[in-house]
Amino acid sequence: MVPASLIEEAARAIAARLPLVALTGAGISVESGIPPFRSPGGLWEKFDPAVYASIEAFRRDPSKYWSIRGDFIRRLDDFIPNPGHIALAELERAGLLRHLITQNIDGLHQKAGSRSVTELHGSLREIFCLACNRRYHAPHIPPGTPPRCDDCGGVLKPNTVLFGEALPAEALERAIQEAATCGCLLVVGTSAVVQPAASLPRIARGNGALVVEVNLERSPAGAELFLEGAAGVILPRLTDALRGSIRLRQSKGTRHGEDPPRNL
Ligand SMILES: [Zn+2]
């Protein structure tokens, strides 16, 4: 159990270093019941990703990918955001979180109400036609394995990054720019070993930002402040403490003519 004093210290440090940007990984979704794909018991232990989810395999035979995706995507609607996702959405609404970068493809941040989100690995909720680029939104996908575009009969591809595929350039660029210009990077539930999640904390720190980590175990993110525990437990506490710290700074700061944050 992280002591209240450490949460308060983190909140004070973050309040002094806005704007805040968050980087989230599989850990936060595990708390909503989604097993990390790469972990023991995860999807890629049952199905070899080289066969089922690499871009080469998909180009050769998309039906392999679509044969395992159906079950997973049907369950996707059953998963709901946990208090960690909800706290991050609240921070955004309060004008305290400028942007959220996620490695997750499950859409739970948006379901919780987050709006300013970069999905580094794409989204399971979107599918597009490789021939005509028409977009489909899950779970409304044409039937069949592989499903074919209603308009042109082209092969449909998920808008997620498959193994061997490059990250979407626009998302990567936005993530780097957010990390380079934030005052504090809040790293949540990522092992920070897969690129670019591994380098974003370094970019933030290199530009003078504070790095705060919420995780079950300390990652190589090199955070100055580490809050050990589940995101669903720590983030609501941190959000409350942060609101308190901001109000305190606001009552002192207004005297010095600072702009108070919105919607506290
Ligand atoms: Zn099409």
Side-chain angles (χ1 to χ4, degrees):
M1 182 78 172
V2 176
S5 57
L6 189 54
I7 300 271
E8 292 290 337
E9 184 192 339
R12 276 195 303 275
I14 294 170
R17 303 286 281 274
L18 297 176
L20 175 65
V21 168
L23 167 66
T24 68
I28 191 166
S29 290
V30 167
E31 294 170 40
S32 286
I34 300 180
F37 293 169
R38 292 164 195 273
S39 74
L43 199 59
W44 304 140
E45 197 177 64
K46 272 186 277 179
F47 301 101
D48 181 357
V51 175
Y52 286 92
S54 73
I55 185 66
E56 286 109 275
F58 187 86
R59 286 206 184 102
R60 250 191 335 264
D61 178 9
S63 63
K64 275 263 193 280
Y65 169 86
W66 286 106
S67 70
I68 63 164
R69 181 190 155 100
D71 280 344
F72 185 76
I73 197 86
R74 266 192 292 279
R75 287 175 56 214
L76 195 63
D77 274 348
D78 298 338
F79 296 116
I80 55 167
N82 64 63
H85 294 105
I86 292 165
L88 289 171
E90 274 175 17
L91 284 175
E92 182 185 337
R93 270 196 299 276
L96 297 175
L97 181 72
R98 184 178 73 187
H99 193 69
L100 194 157
I101 304 160
T102 186
Q103 296 170 279
N104 301 337
I105 56 178
D106 51 49
L108 286 181
H109 285 301
Q110 289 90 336
K111 238 188 209 178
S114 288
R115 291 287 167 266
S116 186
V117 180
T118 291
E119 295 173 304
L120 285 171
H121 296 160
S123 170
L124 272 173
R125 291 163 299 123
E126 288 176 6
I127 292 105
F128 67 99
C129 172
L130 285 175
C132 75
N133 211 33
R134 176 174 165 187
R135 304 223 153 221
Y136 294 82
H137 289 274
H140 309 291
I141 306 167
T145 306
R148 295 275 177 172
C149 178
D150 286 339
D151 286 346
C152 75
V155 169
L156 298 180
K157 184 190 172 296
N159 199 8
T160 50
V161 176
L162 298 182
F163 286 81
E165 200 173 19
L167 296 192
E170 207 176 296
L172 188 56
E173 213 169 281
R174 175 75 190 264
I176 291 170
Q177 183 237 330
E178 290 289 343
T181 58
C182 68
C184 177
L185 184 69
L186 180 61
V187 178
V188 182
T190 170
S191 56
V193 288
V194 179
Q195 288 297 355
S199 56
L200 292 172
R202 204 174 53 237
I203 291 169
R205 215 173 15 256
N207 285 279
L210 173 77
V211 177
V212 177
E213 177 173 16
V214 175
N215 223 338
L216 295 179
E217 283 172 30
R218 194 184 254 280
S219 77
E224 283 87 353
L225 280 164
F226 174 61
L227 304 173
E228 181 183 346
V233 175
I234 303 284
L235 288 179
R237 292 174 68 197
L238 185 62
T239 299
D240 282 348
L242 190 52
R243 285 172 190 270
S245 289
I246 295 286
R247 272 194 293 265
L248 195 65
R249 287 179 67 82
Q250 197 177 327
S251 64
K252 289 179 188 163
T254 357
R255 288 200 295 272
H256 303 291
E258 288 173 17
D259 276 344
R262 294 167 277 138
N263 307 328
L264 284 174

